Amino acid sequence: MFLRKYIAQSFKLTLFYRVLSALKVLIKTRSLKIAYFIIFPELDTRAHFLNYLPPVLVVECTTRCNLKCAMCNQNYWPEKRKDLSFIDFKKIVDQVPQALNIWILGLGENLMNKDFLKMVSYLKSKNIRVCFIDNFTLLTEGVARELVELGVDQIWFSIERTTKELFEKTREGASFDGVMRNIRSLAELKKRSGQGKPEIALSCTLSTESFFEMPLLLDLAIDLGAEEINFCQECSFGGRRVQFDRELFLKKLKEVSKKAANYKIKLTTEIHPISIADCQFPWVPFITVDGDVIPVCQYFRDALRLTKFGNIFERNFREIWDSGKYREYRALARRGKQSFVCAQCQES
């Protein structure tokens, strides 16, 4: 869903940033092949002669959440909730030494894991770009201060409603006033630090009935000093069917785009269908709290048995990444052809 656009950003870097990243990796790994891949990914990022591991990956640190949100697959997911230990987190990260950007996210709320800040600190000690999405219910002033001091690069605030009544109805268990207080505290601490990090962005999952919120969400982004806002399409899960009027969405989008540009806020969208040829998911692995390696588009686990490539605690990551099944998936995607994974995708 909303992940595709965020991950694509990490691949579609400016040439300047690509070169800097390539130099960093060259010093770290002494691999010209990997550096070449980073600078020129559009030439053939999936070529067999490139002996690389992905520079971007997503790691899930927990499946526990303190909220019950109307649009979330948690409502239909039967598995027992659990946390990823710090030791296992290190095992994952250390198997992908070329990683430049790691997203910590999944089905749960990151701060439910007591080791979350320790995980962030470990990544920053390796000079890895760190991004995550948060519901801001547990991100108190003390936590926010530590995140700023650690140098977290980007935090996405997940929000769809701008009034107390609708917000708390959509996100059962959350306090609208408390969440607003927490995010404003982060914004103020960032301003005081003078370092420009973390970037604050809004992730807004919408359906036809909530399109009217788009101008209000943009106003909130402006008020918070956010650098980016993303409007994405809510998916259907279980027996809950979501209405999404594409034409109406595009009309509303046009109304807010000019204002976003005037305030220098990057506005992006995520609506279905997505072309397989344009999809970056085949090159971004998602590692679940159990260590299962799946495409990031499948983090909802609806078809885990079909899309699982292996388990990082049972097999070395490189073996999984270079397996015939994973290679076939990437090769088909590169040619714009549907694979067994794409057949399960909510975005195609």
Side-chain angles (χ1 to χ4, degrees):
M1 199 169 63
F2 48 80
L3 285 177
R4 186 193 71 86
K5 172 257 153 192
Y6 303 155
I7 300 303
Q9 278 187 330
S10 301
F11 272 83
K12 297 175 181 177
L13 304 171
T14 64
L15 180 59
F16 176 73
Y17 186 73
R18 285 183 192 175
V19 172
L20 288 181
S21 298
L23 288 173
K24 170 189 167 184
V25 170
L26 186 60
I27 293 170
K28 190 175 182 181
T29 67
R30 297 185 180 181
S31 173
L32 286 171
K33 291 180 179 179
I34 298 168
Y36 180 85
F37 156 69
I38 293 169
I39 298 174
F40 303 110
E42 66 278 0
L43 295 184
D44 191 351
T45 61
R46 283 69 70 182
H48 288 278
F49 73 86
L50 287 176
N51 182 28
Y52 74 93
L53 291 174
V56 182
L57 69 152
V58 182
V59 180
E60 180 177 60
C61 78
T62 185
T63 53
R64 296 191 299 128
C65 191
N66 58 329
L67 302 183
K68 187 176 181 180
C69 300
M71 79 299 292
C72 186
N73 192 43
Q74 277 266 15
N75 300 322
Y76 309 98
W77 196 58
E79 303 298 324
K80 183 179 179 181
R81 276 48 170 178
K82 63 186 294 188
D83 292 339
L84 181 70
S85 70
F86 178 65
I87 292 175
D88 284 341
F89 179 80
K90 283 184 65 179
K91 286 179 183 177
I92 292 170
V93 174
D94 292 346
Q95 287 192 53
V96 193
Q98 290 90 345
L100 300 174
N101 188 349
I102 291 183
W103 285 78
I104 309 179
L105 57 86
L107 287 179
E109 162 58 31
N110 289 323
L111 285 166
M112 294 288 285
N113 187 324
K114 63 180 178 58
D115 289 329
F116 174 64
L117 292 175
K118 196 174 178 181
M119 294 172 179
V120 171
S121 179
Y122 184 67
L123 293 179
K124 295 311 298 181
S125 73
K126 289 177 166 289
N127 201 26
I128 294 173
R129 177 177 168 85
V130 178
C131 310
F132 66 91
I133 300 175
D134 200 82
N135 64 31
F136 275 77
T137 57
L138 305 177
L139 207 151
T140 61
E141 183 175 347
V143 174
R145 181 175 290 106
E146 188 163 354
L147 290 171
V148 171
E149 291 173 354
L150 284 171
V152 169
D153 297 273
Q154 190 177 53
I155 302 177
W156 286 81
F157 174 30
S158 186
I159 183 172
E160 308 77 28
R161 302 293 195 168
T162 57
T163 63
K164 180 178 176 65
E165 180 183 1
L166 290 175
F167 180 89
E168 294 180 357
K169 181 180 179 181
T170 304
R171 293 180 168 269
E172 185 179 329
S175 163
F176 179 79
D177 295 333
V179 166
M180 289 299 115
R181 181 169 58 250
N182 291 344
I183 191 170
R184 291 183 191 284
S185 174
L186 174 67
E188 180 59 30
L189 287 167
K190 169 190 170 180
K191 183 178 179 181
R192 272 190 251 155
S193 74
Q195 62 183 17
K197 290 198 294 187
E199 295 177 8
I200 297 175
L202 271 62
S203 173
C204 312
T205 305
L206 305 174
S207 64
T208 300
E209 66 179 19
S210 55
F211 287 165
F212 73 92
E213 294 275 14
M214 291 170 70
L216 301 174
L217 288 164
L218 177 59
D219 287 341
L220 178 61
I222 294 169
D223 184 42
L224 295 171
E227 286 86 355
E228 186 170 349
I229 186 169
N230 176 260
F231 295 122
C232 60
Q233 179 175 344
E234 183 178 343
C235 291
S236 299
F237 294 111
R240 184 171 182 267
R241 312 318 295 172
V242 177
Q243 298 298 317
F244 192 92
D245 186 327
R246 186 185 178 96
E247 290 187 8
L248 180 58
F249 174 81
L250 293 174
K251 180 180 178 181
K252 291 290 183 182
L253 183 65
K254 189 176 181 180
E255 294 175 7
V256 299
S257 294
K258 185 175 181 180
K259 186 172 183 179
N262 289 340
Y263 280 90
K264 294 182 171 55
I265 293 179
K266 184 177 181 181
L267 190 157
T268 54
T269 62
E270 187 72 30
I271 56 175
H272 313 170
I274 293 167
S275 166
I276 295 174
D278 294 332
C279 186
Q280 300 292 332
F281 286 158
W283 297 274
V284 184
F286 179 91
I287 301 172
T288 73
V289 72
D290 293 310
D292 291 328
V293 180
I294 59 178
V296 71
C297 56
Q298 294 298 317
Y299 85 103
F300 287 120
R301 325 278 224 287
D302 291 345
L304 178 60
R305 291 180 183 177
L306 292 174
T307 59
K308 175 181 171 181
F309 293 106
N311 188 287
I312 200 168
F313 301 135
E314 298 170 2
R315 294 172 61 195
N316 182 275
F317 179 76
R318 182 178 287 280
E319 292 179 19
I320 298 171
W321 181 253
D322 288 336
S323 66
K325 185 178 180 181
Y326 218 145
R327 282 182 179 275
E328 179 188 11
Y329 168 47
R330 297 197 297 269
L332 287 171
R334 183 165 62 89
R335 297 196 297 269
K337 294 184 178 181
Q338 189 177 73
S339 68
F340 60 94
V341 174
C342 302
Q344 315 300 323
C345 186
Q346 292 243 18
E347 302 199 38
S348 59

